[in-house]
Amino acid sequence: MAGQLGLHELFQQIRSIAYGIWRKRWYMLITTWVVCVLGWGLTMTMPYNYTGKGTLFVHQNLLKDFFKVFNKNNTSKNIDMIRSLMLDEKNLQFIIRGSVLSEHLVTDDQLREAVNDMKSDISILQRPNNMFLIEYETDDERLSETQRRELTTFVVNQLMNNLSERAQSASESDTVEDTIDFLDREINQLKKKVALAENEQSKFQAVNASILAGQNLDKLEKARNDFKRAEREVRELNSKIKNIQDQLKITPKFLYVYKDQVSGDGKTQIQRIEERLEELQKKMDEARTKGLKDKHPSIIFFTRQIDLVKAELKTENEQRNSRIAEVKKTNEENEYVRVDPNGTYGDLGLKITDFRELLVTAEENYNESKTDIERYDEYVKVEPSVQASFNEKRQVARNYRDQLEEMLEKRRDAETIEKVSGASINTRVVTPGFTPSSPSGPPRLIFMTLTLVGGIMVGIGVALILSQIRPVVLSVEQLRDHFDLPVIGNVTVMLDEKAMSKRRKEMLLFAGLGSALFAMYVLLLAMDSLLG
């Protein structure tokens, strides 16, 4: 019973998933179309690969002499020997320069890259009876299909012919030892020249390191900006120091405070005189308010009293100023005057000290920037000639290194020739390279089929995900299990003729678009078959 219930639940789940995918069938179809169109478009734009093939026979004696060098007799060493002779860098450079590829090569770096690409595209396989299958495959997009076909044939034939020529020259060499001795002497001389040139280059670079570091124009511009900034800072600091010095000239160094005698009421003599003067002035103002004239006895009395008090105040002030003047001469306190340092004067002095310290730093920056301007200006003037001299020395060292490498390569070739010079060498082209009539790749049938299957799977996946975002209930059991409520009844959906007609049209459109997708798949396969 439990097993039957499990199968039923599994069936309901599969049914629910299938119905959810069907509900989102348009998303599935659109996704499948997009994936297929993009994948097929990418596949159709892949250039055709063409493979040239040729078969070469190598006599057993040649192989045996090489086995003496390797101390082994196996298939991998056979292929290594043939590959080392065929895929020599100079040999491949010769082949590339004589082919259509030379039209697309400008620099030495491009030539080296082309040599490396050709090495990776050449395959050498050993067949029974000392037969070797030589294959060369290319999909160079820079070449037309005709040029690619012809290039594969040319490369295969050149590889086999060059091997035959090198083997023949090896069998005819009878002065290999003298050649190796000569090459050894040349190599030793070149090693000394390389060491000397590199030493001169290093010394020159060390002496002119600052000039050769580059960016001298930028450094000169920076030094000029620093100079302007330092010059402005020096000018501003000098102006501030001058302003403070001017303030110091009018600022007393000491403050002279008069020691007024304070009476029992807490007032000084001057304060008491000023109060009497103020009281008399007030009384006279009151008399004038009452209408009294200047000739009135009261006004005359107040006027005389005011004059006497003013005279007394003047005398008191003169006496005070006289005593302060006497103290200023000696700056020594007495019973009447106290001498205090002026804080403002001291603050101004501290400011001058701080500004002068900043001025010293600013002047150092000013002088340093000025020196930098002179140095980098000289660097800018001599940099082209120094750089040219350095490049010349570097080129001399590079030329010597290239010559040394060339001599070492010649010596390796001479050693190879020496090791096979006694062999009875015989190579023969059994099957020359021929122009391929059809491409060898890419496998567009497989790619387009995988794209179709992948597009369908991606479409189903998208539809499934969308259906799970907003799931639906298919049966009363699912409704009851989901909400845990009793289901009173259900109503079957009844479609009218208009709805049925709309559904049929949608089904026809869906079937048509699906069929069109497969039709396009078949059409692209047919086109690829005809073009290939």
Side-chain angles (χ1 to χ4, degrees):
M1 189 68 181
Q4 293 179 357
L5 182 61
L7 290 175
H8 178 71
E9 290 177 349
L10 179 61
F11 172 74
Q12 290 295 332
Q13 187 176 2
I14 294 174
R15 180 167 171 248
S16 176
I17 292 173
Y19 181 71
I21 294 173
W22 177 250
R23 284 179 58 247
K24 303 297 181 181
R25 59 187 177 276
W26 290 109
Y27 292 100
M28 176 184 69
L29 185 61
I30 292 172
T31 303
T32 303
W33 263 98
V34 170
V35 173
C36 289
V37 169
L38 292 177
W40 291 341
L42 180 63
T43 301
M44 293 302 291
T45 56
M46 291 180 179
Y48 283 119
N49 299 344
Y50 288 93
T51 303
K53 299 181 181 180
T55 306
L56 180 70
F57 169 80
V58 181
H59 197 276
Q60 183 68 25
N61 288 347
L62 176 61
L63 299 177
K64 287 181 178 179
D65 276 274
F66 271 93
F67 298 154
K68 294 177 183 178
V69 179
F70 292 119
N71 296 323
K72 289 187 178 180
N73 187 357
N74 54 39
T75 300
S76 63
K77 290 303 180 181
N78 289 357
I79 296 175
D80 288 342
M81 182 271 293
I82 298 297
R83 190 174 185 84
S84 65
L85 292 175
M86 279 191 173
L87 303 188
D88 177 70
E89 185 170 354
K90 292 185 178 180
N91 185 33
L92 295 182
Q93 288 181 359
F94 174 78
I95 294 174
I96 290 173
R97 288 194 177 99
S99 69
V100 69
L101 292 174
S102 61
E103 301 174 3
H104 304 278
L105 303 178
V106 178
T107 64
D108 293 339
D109 291 337
Q110 291 177 336
L111 178 60
R112 284 191 289 269
E113 184 178 356
V115 168
N116 294 330
D117 291 340
M118 182 170 286
K119 281 184 180 180
S120 62
D121 293 335
I122 294 174
S123 174
I124 302 175
L125 303 175
Q126 186 171 5
R127 297 290 186 245
N129 301 322
N130 296 332
M131 305 289 285
F132 290 87
L133 177 63
I134 314 300
E135 294 183 346
Y136 171 65
E137 182 181 36
T138 181
D139 60 350
D140 197 329
E141 297 180 357
R142 299 172 298 180
L143 307 179
S144 65
E145 292 190 17
T146 301
Q147 288 176 325
R148 275 181 249 164
R149 292 190 183 99
E150 294 175 352
L151 177 63
T152 57
T153 306
F154 175 80
V155 171
V156 169
N157 287 331
Q158 285 293 110
L159 287 171
M160 295 190 296
N161 293 336
N162 289 349
L163 178 63
S164 299
E165 292 175 1
R166 292 185 68 179
Q168 184 65 28
S169 64
S171 64
E172 295 174 354
S173 176
D174 54 0
T175 61
V176 178
E177 292 183 0
D178 294 338
T179 301
I180 292 177
D181 292 339
F182 170 77
L183 291 174
D184 286 338
R185 290 192 298 270
E186 290 294 318
I187 288 172
N188 291 331
Q189 291 294 328
L190 285 173
K191 285 182 178 179
K192 294 179 181 178
K193 292 181 179 179
V194 168
L196 181 62
E198 289 180 345
N199 187 34
E200 291 183 358
Q201 177 187 342
S202 299
K203 288 182 178 179
F204 186 85
Q205 186 175 8
V207 172
N208 301 279
S210 300
I211 300 176
L212 294 173
Q215 299 181 345
N216 289 315
L217 277 175
D218 295 337
K219 293 177 181 178
L220 176 61
E221 185 64 24
K222 181 180 180 299
R224 287 173 176 170
N225 293 333
D226 293 342
F227 176 79
K228 292 178 181 178
R229 183 166 55 252
E231 185 181 29
R232 183 172 61 253
E233 188 175 356
V234 169
R235 188 167 55 250
E236 292 175 353
L237 289 171
N238 281 324
S239 177
K240 290 179 179 179
I241 292 174
K242 184 178 181 304
N243 291 334
I244 295 176
Q245 288 174 340
D246 292 340
Q247 293 181 32
L248 282 175
K249 290 179 181 178
I250 61 175
T251 302
K253 187 174 182 180
F254 299 99
L255 296 177
Y256 302 95
V257 182
Y258 193 81
K259 300 178 181 178
D260 288 311
Q261 299 296 325
V262 180
S263 60
D265 58 359
K267 297 179 182 179
T268 63
Q269 179 65 19
I270 289 181
Q271 288 176 340
R272 288 195 299 270
I273 295 173
E274 288 176 346
E275 286 182 356
R276 286 165 49 200
L277 180 63
E278 184 180 356
E279 184 179 355
L280 290 171
Q281 189 68 47
K282 183 178 180 182
K283 289 181 178 180
M284 189 174 70
D285 291 340
E286 289 177 354
R288 289 184 182 279
T289 304
K290 294 179 180 180
L292 299 181
K293 304 298 182 179
D294 292 340
K295 294 182 179 182
H296 192 278
S298 296
I299 298 299
I300 293 173
F301 174 76
F302 288 137
T303 301
R304 289 177 180 175
Q305 290 296 320
I306 288 173
D307 290 340
L308 291 174
V309 173
K310 286 183 178 180
E312 184 180 359
L313 180 63
K314 180 180 179 182
T315 301
E316 185 69 22
N317 285 329
E318 288 177 352
Q319 184 181 14
R320 172 181 294 192
N321 292 334
S322 175
R323 289 171 176 172
I324 290 175
E326 291 178 1
V327 172
K328 283 184 178 180
K329 294 178 181 179
T330 60
N331 288 328
E332 295 181 358
E333 296 185 2
N334 56 28
E335 57 180 329
Y336 299 106
V337 180
R338 186 178 74 250
V339 180
D340 293 336
N342 190 349
T344 303
Y345 187 92
D347 293 340
L348 293 175
L350 291 176
K351 286 185 178 180
I352 286 182
T353 302
D354 293 339
F355 284 145
R356 282 176 176 168
E357 291 178 356
L358 294 175
L359 180 62
V360 171
T361 303
E363 288 176 344
E364 290 177 354
N365 294 336
Y366 175 86
N367 295 329
E368 184 178 350
S369 301
K370 188 175 181 180
T371 304
D372 289 343
I373 289 176
E374 295 174 354
R375 180 171 67 255
Y376 290 124
D377 186 54
E378 182 66 21
Y379 284 176
V380 169
K381 292 178 181 178
V382 302
E383 182 178 4
S385 59
V386 172
Q387 188 66 48
S389 299
F390 177 72
N391 291 338
E392 182 179 355
K393 293 181 181 298
R394 183 169 57 183
Q395 186 62 42
V396 169
R398 182 181 298 144
N399 291 339
Y400 282 142
R401 284 194 296 270
D402 292 343
Q403 293 177 19
L404 177 60
E405 184 61 31
E406 184 178 356
M407 285 295 177
L408 291 173
E409 181 67 23
K410 289 181 178 179
R411 194 186 189 288
R412 286 192 290 269
D413 290 344
E415 288 178 345
T416 303
I417 293 173
E418 182 184 30
K419 290 165 184 172
V420 301
S421 59
S424 176
I425 302 174
N426 182 19
T427 62
R428 184 174 72 256
V429 177
V430 179
T431 304
F434 58 91
T435 303
S437 59
S438 60
S440 57
R444 292 184 175 179
L445 171 61
I446 297 175
F447 290 163
M448 286 192 287
T449 302
L450 291 176
T451 300
L452 176 62
V453 174
I456 293 174
M457 298 302 294
V458 172
I460 292 174
V462 170
L464 178 61
I465 292 173
L466 293 176
S467 67
Q468 295 302 312
I469 293 175
R470 297 185 62 184
V472 296
V473 178
L474 300 180
S475 65
V476 174
E477 294 177 358
Q478 290 182 349
L479 187 63
R480 185 184 297 113
D481 294 338
H482 186 73
F483 292 101
D484 197 20
L485 293 173
V487 179
I488 299 175
N490 61 340
V491 180
T492 304
V493 177
M494 301 294 292
L495 300 178
D496 56 11
E497 186 62 28
K498 185 177 181 180
M500 292 293 292
S501 176
K502 182 180 178 181
R503 175 173 289 189
R504 283 194 295 270
K505 290 179 181 179
E506 289 181 355
M507 291 297 296
L508 289 174
L509 179 60
F510 181 80
L513 290 175
S515 301
L517 182 66
F518 284 95
M520 180 178 287
Y521 167 71
V522 175
L523 178 61
L524 291 175
L525 290 181
M527 289 176 58
D528 181 64
S529 178
L530 292 175
L531 293 175

